[in-house]
Amino acid sequence: MSIKARATGALLAAILSTTAFHGAFAADDTIKVGILHSLSGTMAISETTLKDAMLMLIEEQNKKGGLLGKQLEAVVVDPASDWPLFAEKARELVSVNKVSAVFGCWTSVSRKSVLPVFEELNSILFYPVQYEGEESQRNVFYTGAAPNQQAIPAVDYLMENESVERWVLAGTDYVYPRTTNKILEAYLISKGVKPEDIMINYTPFGHSDWQTIVSDIKKFGSAGKKTAVVSTINGDANVPFYKELGNQGVKAEDIPVVAFSVGEEELAGLDTGPLVGHLAAWNYFQSVDNPANAEFIKTWKAFTKNDKRVTNDPMEAHYIGFNMWLKAVEKAGTTDTDAVLDAMIGVSVPNLSGGYSTMMPNHHITKPVLIGEIQADGQFETVWETPGLVVGDEWSDFLADSKDLIADWRAPMSCGNFNVATGKCGGKGS
Amino acid sequence: MHTRLIHRFLQCLLVALCLMATDLRAADDLRSMVNALGGGSFQQNQKQIEALAKTGDPKIVPALEALAEGDLYLRKADGIVFIVRPAGANFRLIDALTGDDLGEEAKAGLEKVKVNNGLRRTIRGALGGLTLMSPDVNVRLQAAGTILRTPTADALDGLEIALAAETDGAVKAVLEKARAAAILVSDRPVEEKKAAVATVVQTGGRDSLSLLSGALASADESLRPDIEAGIRQIEDQLSLWAGAQNIWYGLSLGSVLLLAAIGLAITFGVMGIINMAHGEMVMLGAYTTFVVQAYIRAAWPGLFEWSLAIALPLAFLVTGAVGLVMERGIIRFLYGRPLETLLATWGVSLILQQAVRSIFGPTNQEVANPSWMSGAFELGGLTVTWNRMWIIVFSLAVFAFLLFLLKKTPMGLQMRAVTQNRRMASSMGIRTPWVDALTFALGSGIAGIAGVALSQIDNVSPNLGQGYIIDSFMVVVFGGVGNLWGTLVGAFTLGILNKVLEPYAGAVLGKILVLVLIILFIQKRPRGLFALKGRAVEA
Amino acid sequence: MITSFLAKALGRNIVITVAILLALAALVPALNLLTAPDHPLHVPTYIVSLFGKYLTYALLALALDLVWGFCGILSLGHAAFFALGGYAMGMYLMRQIGARGSYGNPLLPDFMVFLNWKELPWFWQGFDMFWFAALMAVLVPGLLAFVFGWFAFRSRVNGVYLSIITQAMTFALLLAFFRNDMGFGGNNGLTDFKDILGFNIQSNGTRSALFAASAIALALSLVVTSGIVRSKYGKILVGVRDAESRTRFLGYRVEHMKLFAFVVSAMMAGVAGALYVPQVGIINPGEFEPANSIEVVIWTAVGGRGTLIGPIVGAILVNGGKSVFTAAFPEFWLFALGGLFVLVTLFLPRGIVGTARQFFERRKEYRKAKAVEEARAFAAAEPQAAE
């Protein structure tokens, strides 16, 4: 008699019984929404907030009467910042819990890990974080910013308003910074910046000793030309980076740092006094002054029972994505994936920066771009914004291999990487 | 003669009247100019500030300072601009020019005059010109420094007047340099510029390099060789300093490693417990600091500068107590099975992380630097940040304290006795279980006070400890298990090695190289830098 | 008869486990593919791929048990060998995508295209052939283990020092693979696989086949390790574990013994990794995390170190627990997992299987002792009665 067999049997039974347990709820009285954000591990620091935001949005919607006459039910799982576990949990949400849509992921690698699952099981993922682009998948809606909705306007702002001529592109060595920096490098050179006036620097995840790099930045900035730093440094490493900047006396007035991954949440762990004037580019700031945002912030503070909790851009992305999904489901009259996928394109909902965001055929959305300066109270003050909305550009025009590609998921084309030069849908290998 | 006098008198009167009139008109102008800041775009405001600066009137200083701080507000009803101070739910209005208190007003009726980097820079330049003659030495020093950073030809006259009147040596030196910098961007004759280059080169440093390279672009032919030679000279100096700078960074990284590892040198090095929860002890120390600061901010804001000093003993007690509970509850059952301590402490580490996450939330907590831990000072060509310097001092102090405790006190004697030969120690009447418990508590407590220091440079989040645990083990093993001096030397060696490699190999590759070197080093000396010798080693 | 021979060579428990694994390898795919989804005996694809993954973890834990349980080498870097095997398989799967990638480049994987690589780096050559990739999945970890072990064991790096440098090794590899310049896809790693050996990687058939392959690989490895452990060589290994110096003084080349076990173990870990990647669909530097290696140690310890079956039980149990807890108590599961580790070390120091075995042995001994006692009592009673 093997203990293993017994143990396996017991475990199988346990899993099957949880399946049955969840299955019992799957009766048609609720519509289930999956929430796939890490609640432990390295990414918990950013993702837990999004889980809470989703729970709040679902609760609010239920107060308004739910969807299609049914209540919404959130299914929360913890993929624990473990990328293969993301795929396992996504599969569990879709095939065991039978959720109608999943809101989740933060890092690119977690998204890449779950993509095949959503494709195979034909379900829907809403991805709320700014990312590197170069992707458009049938089952994914990208509600965060593509590089053209964040990076390029920020660089434009610095060139025009601060007459920056010399650039430090500093990032964590992963795909988002790499791609963004490639795009920016090509863009800057097309604007007449000399290659020797661009310095690119990559650091490991969670880098905490920034002395050398900050002093390199100071050195690079002492060539007599106005210098700025474009930071794609990832979440956790930012606090020590900014602390070092502040302590080494790099002032925003001398060498401004514009960041794409630093929001209100990251600043909450910092004394922002020495950082006033450093910049960030987002599509939303908590400080945006309009009634919808005020209401959102109020609800959020009440929901978390914490007056100090801040809101940030990915939360707004979930807000937009969730409302778009609600609208599309209502339009389709069902939560059936194919019908919702069709109904999503063209759906337009209010965003929190005072306008409307629309889902485009490439599964990216239109957004305003805001440039904000860090204030002493840890908030951003908008110093510039795009006059209109910017359409997310999934395949960058500044990369040689992607400039000919477009994505359009509407009926005849239905392709995520259509090559306009050859007239073929690349992904189908024809 | 008489007529002449009368004539003279009338002339004076006329001038005086004119002056009064201009003064009145100027005040009027000033007010409308300040008010105009309310509605303008950044570009318009920039011009407006430059115009205000041209008046040279010190009355505008408070308004400009308030603008830079973001305390300048526009009353929407009548377009008047005020300086505001927060007063509960309202704002207290202060006249922008006279400084009179004008009572309170609801926030809703006021709109902030926005400011960005460009404006702040302009304001700083303007204030620099306006405050050069201030009676306060520090203000003058700051003003001179400001002009030095953004020299303009316009500032030159003001600088020369100020220089003539200046009595303070330090201010004078900065003014001299600022004057030279301003000359370089002015249209003064080449000879004067050459002298200016010499002045700038003589003072040296990174900012001089910046000034010269800036000037190089627009310099005419006869000046170029001078500037280029100057740049080379400064660069040579700087490259000498760069070596020292790397060593300094290495020392600083080494001190961080030492702090992170020194508690582990006790629990792992001396006691042989593979303490995977060590990082979490560091984290608990950092969170203690956070709680102490939050409490102080709420109850006694005046004590804030002392918050770290208050947090130190508390962090020691908190983490020491957690360590004590861990030892009594779990680890004491595992003596003699070191590998199993790895499992149990790993479990404890997961629990502690999740507990902190449940209590404080998963996000970063703000731990502020007291003012004596912020900023930097120049030491020759080195920029030394205060927090790094204090952390080096602190890490050495902790090391000295621990060494004293272990080598010179009866308790240390007992600890060493128990770890070297438990049964013999027990026979001599030492209560070994309590010594074990206290030793583990001491190691944990030391990790806790390391957390207080690390909270000053790193994230305070539930993941804090995870970032240090591997490095800590590397340091202890590299230095030689069971030897405090090994930990000290190991930490600083690895720190310096890392920082010397980083400029050449980059941060990632540098770290990989250090790891490979550790692996190779262990082949050469399988028991670390300072190996224990003798028969007990095999056991 | 063959069974009885195997039972002698391998031990009864091993034979039973191998039989169960082989039965699972046949039965689970059959139940997945041949029964209707609403059939009571149907095994959903979700369970198939989940347990397929667990089986590869079990193989990894078994590999660790060979060096830790029988040779006393606590490797805190075993996940590195697993990940290397995984990368070898991942490279094959990447090459199989061919022109079906986003950019339609027939030769270069997507991540190379958008990082402007112009040609395939030399170390990617040959990975379009399955046999080559499969060979590499075993050879590369084996070679790394050989080089690493050769130096470490020859220098007599022992105990915790060895553990820490294996950790340094996996950490260095983590950082290296994390670098985009290395040409392994950086932090995103290798993903977006399409098919394996011409079969669609997402189809139920392929998943079932991979499950069966994992089960069979585990069964084979169990036979191999059991063979090693029960051989004369295995006895020396245990000698090395329990008294290294004494074994050396007896004239054995301890470092060779250790090196052999270490290399075999690394190769098994490589196989596990190669089977793992097509089932989870991604391989990235996260697999090199030192924490992952520590987890492997924990599975082994929970199941029972030095028992061969224990690590398999431990890996499946801990990972199954993780799967259930992360869904059932997403906010508190770490308490449960952490608590489990503490409790197991405190109350089941020999792990689950070890403790069970001990229990049975004790009972046997107790019975034997009781029988002896009774006999003695009986014997003692006789003369008394005679008196």
Side-chain angles (χ1 to χ4, degrees), chain B residues 278 501 514:
Chain B
H278 171 72
L501 285 173
V514 170

Side-chain angles (χ1 to χ4, degrees), chain B residues 297-319:
Chain B
R297 248 187 282 232
W300 302 287
L303 278 177
F304 191 77
E305 291 293 292
W306 294 92
S307 58
L308 293 187
I310 298 166
L312 273 183
L314 285 174
F316 186 83
L317 290 179
V318 169
T319 51

Side-chain angles (χ1 to χ4, degrees), chain A residues 24-345:
Chain A
F25 272 104
D28 280 325
D29 50 353
T30 60
I31 294 176
K32 295 194 172 191
V33 180
I35 301 176
L36 185 64
H37 283 301
S38 301
L39 310 178
S40 57
T42 49
M43 291 314 294
I45 188 169
S46 306
E47 292 194 64
T48 311
T49 309
L50 292 185
K51 182 229 26 173
D52 291 337
M54 278 311 299
L55 289 178
M56 174 187 87
L57 289 169
I58 290 169
E59 189 184 296
E60 290 297 306
Q61 186 60 28
N62 281 338
K63 280 185 202 157
K64 289 185 213 153
L67 180 64
L68 299 178
K70 296 176 188 170
Q71 288 283 294
L72 292 169
E73 183 194 336
V75 183
V76 181
V77 292
D78 178 16
S81 312
D82 175 352
W83 318 135
L85 197 59
F86 264 91
E88 182 196 313
K89 290 286 140 192
R91 188 174 287 278
E92 185 181 326
L93 281 174
V94 177
S95 63
V96 179
N97 296 311
K98 313 269 185 238
V99 297
S100 302
V102 176
F103 291 78
C105 298
W106 182 289
T107 58
S108 279
V109 51
S110 64
R111 188 190 69 250
K112 290 273 183 205
S113 167
V114 300
L115 277 188
V117 177
F118 283 93
E119 201 173 39
E120 180 191 338
L121 303 175
N122 194 24
S123 185
I124 303 175
L125 171 71
F126 284 86
Y127 176 66
V129 184
Q130 90 282 8
Y131 84 118
E132 65 276 5
E134 303 300 297
E135 186 182 297
S136 176
Q137 216 264 0
R138 179 172 175 268
N139 302 82
V140 183
F141 292 99
Y142 306 82
T143 52
N148 72 316
Q149 289 174 310
Q150 209 183 6
I152 289 179
V155 168
D156 279 338
Y157 170 82
L158 286 174
M159 275 198 271
E160 278 160 28
N161 288 282
E162 302 257 349
S163 16
V164 174
E165 297 171 89
R166 229 166 130 79
W167 302 84
V168 180
L169 309 181
T172 307
D173 189 3
Y174 71 126
V175 178
Y176 169 66
R178 284 261 173 189
T179 318
T180 307
N181 287 348
K182 277 194 86 64
I183 293 172
L184 285 181
E185 197 184 358
Y187 181 73
L188 288 173
I189 287 172
S190 80
K191 288 275 175 180
V193 176
K194 291 195 204 78
E196 69 263 26
D197 281 337
I198 302 175
M199 169 175 130
I200 301 184
N201 182 296
Y202 291 108
T203 39
F205 256 122
H207 192 63
S208 61
D209 194 291
W210 291 93
Q211 302 181 82
T212 311
I213 289 162
V214 169
S215 97
D216 282 351
I217 290 172
K218 279 167 78 176
K219 191 169 155 196
F220 190 77
S222 63
K225 288 181 182 168
K226 178 75 185 170
T227 306
V229 180
V230 177
S231 152
T232 39
I233 294 163
N234 182 261
D236 244 9
N238 274 302
V239 170
F241 175 61
Y242 279 106
K243 280 190 176 169
E244 192 66 38
L245 277 180
N247 280 325
Q248 289 208 23
V250 177
K251 292 227 174 65
E253 292 150 47
D254 306 322
I255 303 181
V257 177
V258 57
F260 304 143
S261 312
V262 177
E264 289 84 351
E265 191 95 283
E266 282 74 21
L267 292 183
L270 270 172
D271 171 19
T272 51
L275 305 177
V276 170
H278 286 304
L279 303 127
W282 289 105
N283 311 104
Y284 164 82
F285 289 119
Q286 185 180 349
S287 63
V288 168
D289 190 16
N290 67 54
N293 189 31
E295 176 66 28
F296 183 73
I297 295 168
K298 209 179 99 196
T299 324
W300 174 240
K301 286 182 172 168
F303 181 80
T304 55
K305 299 187 187 69
N306 181 352
D307 205 35
K308 285 191 183 137
R309 277 302 275 271
V310 291
T311 59
N312 64 10
D313 181 275
M315 281 172 66
E316 191 228 9
H318 260 341
Y319 172 86
I320 296 171
F322 182 67
N323 285 328
M324 282 181 163
W325 178 71
L326 293 176
K327 222 168 166 180
V329 170
E330 270 163 12
K331 198 162 121 192
T334 166
T335 56
D336 181 59
T337 301
D338 289 332
V340 176
L341 284 179
D342 280 341
M344 275 297 290
I345 293 172

Side-chain angles (χ1 to χ4, degrees), chain A residues 15 40 51 76 78 83-84 88-89 91-92 96 109 112 116 120 134 173 178-179 182 205 401 417, chain C residues 46 50 53 102-103 113-114 116 178-181 188 191 202 207 276 284 287 323 326-327 331 333:
Chain A
I15 288 181
S40 57
K51 182 229 26 173
V76 181
D78 178 16
W83 318 135
E88 182 196 313
K89 290 286 140 192
R91 188 174 287 278
E92 185 181 326
V96 179
V109 51
K112 290 273 183 205
E120 180 191 338
E134 303 300 297
D173 189 3
R178 284 261 173 189
T179 318
K182 277 194 86 64
F205 256 122
D401 292 283
N417 52 353
Chain C
Y46 166 68
L50 195 61
K53 189 170 95 171
S102 294
Y103 303 100
V113 176
F114 78 64
N116 277 1
F178 174 72
R179 296 183 69 220
N180 276 290
D181 297 333
N188 275 12
T191 178
Q202 296 182 346
R207 286 190 188 286
Y276 167 82
N284 64 58
E287 301 296 337
S323 289
T326 46
E331 318 248 359
W333 69 276

Side-chain angles (χ1 to χ4, degrees), chain A residues 131 134-144 146 148-149 344-346 358-366 390-396 405-410 413 415-417:
Chain A
Y131 84 118
E134 303 300 297
E135 186 182 297
S136 176
Q137 216 264 0
R138 179 172 175 268
N139 302 82
V140 183
F141 292 99
Y142 306 82
T143 52
N148 72 316
Q149 289 174 310
M344 275 297 290
I345 293 172
T358 311
M359 179 57 71
M360 302 309 281
N362 61 5
H363 284 192
H364 290 64
I365 66 172
T366 60
V390 182
V391 181
D393 184 16
E394 69 295 6
W395 300 105
S396 175
L405 299 179
I406 59 161
D408 191 334
W409 289 105
R410 282 172 302 186
M413 189 184 273
C415 178
N417 52 353

Side-chain angles (χ1 to χ4, degrees), chain C residues 159-279:
Chain C
V160 68
Y161 289 90
L162 187 75
S163 304
I164 296 297
I165 63 167
T166 52
Q167 192 172 43
M169 175 191 77
T170 189
F171 193 48
L173 282 169
L174 164 75
L175 291 170
F177 275 76
F178 174 72
R179 296 183 69 220
N180 276 290
D181 297 333
M182 275 284 282
F184 291 104
N187 185 48
N188 275 12
L190 311 175
T191 178
D192 207 17
F193 307 137
K194 304 277 190 227
D195 49 31
I196 178 168
L197 290 170
F199 299 101
N200 181 359
I201 206 159
Q202 296 182 346
S203 75
N204 284 351
T206 318
R207 286 190 188 286
S208 294
L210 285 167
F211 174 89
S214 307
I216 292 168
L218 182 57
L220 277 179
S221 305
L222 197 54
V223 171
V224 170
T225 41
S226 175
I228 293 177
V229 167
R230 293 187 148 236
S231 69
K232 176 169 167 265
Y233 167 76
K235 304 280 184 236
I236 305 169
L237 272 189
V238 174
V240 173
R241 177 188 74 187
D242 293 340
E244 181 169 334
S245 300
R246 259 186 238 181
T247 318
R248 184 174 282 124
F249 298 150
L250 284 173
Y252 293 105
R253 295 297 296 272
V254 169
E255 54 272 21
H256 292 182
M257 305 285 166
K258 281 174 148 182
L259 189 59
F260 176 75
F262 196 57
V263 170
V264 169
S265 167
M267 286 176 160
M268 276 164 60
V271 172
L275 285 164
Y276 167 82
V277 167
Q279 301 193 64

Side-chain angles (χ1 to χ4, degrees), chain A residues 45 157 162 209 211-212 215 219 222 226 236 239 243-244 247 252-254 277 373 375 381-383, chain B residues 42 112 114 116-117 120-121 124 149 206 210 249 252-253 362 364 375-376 387-388 455 459 463 499:
Chain A
I45 188 169
Y157 170 82
E162 302 257 349
D209 194 291
Q211 302 181 82
T212 311
S215 97
K219 191 169 155 196
S222 63
K226 178 75 185 170
D236 244 9
V239 170
K243 280 190 176 169
E244 192 66 38
N247 280 325
E253 292 150 47
D254 306 322
E373 282 186 2
Q375 303 294 300
E381 181 168 287
T382 312
V383 291
Chain B
F42 288 134
K112 187 176 168 184
K114 287 195 175 181
N116 70 355
N117 278 323
R120 258 184 235 112
R121 206 163 34 236
R124 205 176 58 185
R149 270 199 271 177
R206 179 82 54 213
S210 177
Y249 290 159
S252 159
L253 180 62
N364 284 331
N387 64 350
R388 298 280 177 180
S455 73
N459 290 300
N463 300 331
K499 282 295 164 185

